[in-house]
Amino acid sequence: MPAQQAAQFQASHLLDSVRAGIPLSQASRRMAGGSAPGPGRPALVGSGATPGSPAGAGPDSARVPPRAQRLCTLLAGTAHAHPHRVAFVDPPHKPLWSGRPAITWTYGAAAEIVARLANGLRSWRLAPGSRIGLALPGSSESFLAYLAVEAAGHIPCLLPLSLDEEGLLAAVQQAALPAVITQTRFGPLALAERLCRVAVRYFGLRYLAAFGPDVPDGVISLDAMALDQAGGPFAPGPGGLISFTAGDPAHPVHRSGDALLAAIAVYLVTARVQPGDRILSLVPQSDLRGLVTGLGAALVAGAGLETLPVFEARSFADALDRPLPTRLVVPAALERNLAASRLPRTLEAIVLAHRAPGRLGPRTLASEAHRPIIDVVAFDETALLAGAREANDVALALTHPERAHLFSTLMALRRDPDGRLAFRGRACHAEPLQRDIAIPETVDAWAPSPFAAGIEDDRTLAIRRA
């Protein structure tokens, strides 16, 4: 099978497997040409699952019908099959900037807390499929809250922490959010107090909840909710998410659950994260780039996710040295630093996360047999293009899309004669969100992007605004 057809088959097969709740290890055998998962990397979903499990089932369920799969049900599937596998790991210095303990969450414990939080969120008087904002750093609370919003039948909206009070107000208004989840503090930022001031200025914000100590008056304590609530089945819901183009509060974007799973599937064909791996990420979890390479990849693969929302060199060095199969995800600007560092043998891949516009070099890291270097380029909130160096390199894909190992109906790339790029396919389905207007059906057509490839010596070295 030619390489491009093989890539198309792998991505489509993985997406169909995820939708149907098929064990990832079975999908991985076909993706890898029949090889079984390694020791300590069992299947994503246990053999006790049945294809008829209802959509929206909770932590005791392992499968849902096709197209009903969400990240929260993927968490539940792995929790059912492998409750003691590590899901989320907090950095040891977390108490210094959050006032909260550093916790290592197993899949079983995380699914239980998600079920309790989801029960609490369902007690709020919100219509099914409401948009709930998440103003959280990329630590375990972020992931539990995201999954609980899904499990309660609502849509998560990622609010960048870089926004000041005016920016938050604009984002909450533009996305028409009736509720926001945050935490009491993040370093010097009193996040819950800031959002209290936003709520005073925007009467549509009816519910404000926070993790952490010293919750302000009028704010719901999520720590208390997790302790007081009982777990229960997950509500059916649309899945998907809302994020903001380049962190701009005036430009929210909606992505359906199916489009999110498609983007993750396309990424995993290149990244090849395995069940039981560890993803160590320094990329903010506040947009499509961070979500796909972090939480999404971990839950689809049944892997663990460790993040460092506040970078501290000693903690990073300690985390990197732990004897675990590790996939490191970092902003592309750190490539030169990594090239000058001693990297452990347990580091199985390095993912360099770029954002258009920008340059794709100079390159100081080269792929090795045991350690591929993967470039992931985010084109706003529309598309993620991933490629391994010296294999399906993104620089060559952008220069010659017709030769690239892309993914047919999941993702297609076109470069016009003037260099302008366009995308098509389920992995690229994202629409601007209009306040108080129903989300339209996505039309599968070529979507021109505001970016163009800057080509030198028959190779794309930069991505510029068209």
Side-chain angles (χ1 to χ4, degrees), residues 267 271 273 277-283 285 293-294 304-308 311 315-317 319-321 324-332 334-335 337-339 341-344 346-353 365 371-376:
Y267 168 71
V273 181
D277 277 352
R278 175 182 66 149
I279 299 171
L280 177 59
S281 179
L282 305 185
V283 174
Q285 305 285 299
T293 60
L305 176 59
E306 184 170 350
T307 54
L308 295 173
F311 183 81
S315 294
F316 175 61
L320 204 56
D321 278 340
L324 297 168
T326 299
R327 312 287 175 133
L328 178 63
V329 183
V330 300
L334 295 181
E335 177 174 359
N337 302 71
L338 291 174
S341 303
R342 181 190 62 83
L343 300 175
T346 52
L347 190 56
E348 297 193 346
I350 298 174
V351 178
L352 300 171
L365 287 171
R371 182 188 296 146
I373 306 299
I374 298 167
D375 292 290
V376 178

Side-chain angles (χ1 to χ4, degrees), residues 219 237 246 376 428:
V219 178
V376 178
C428 310

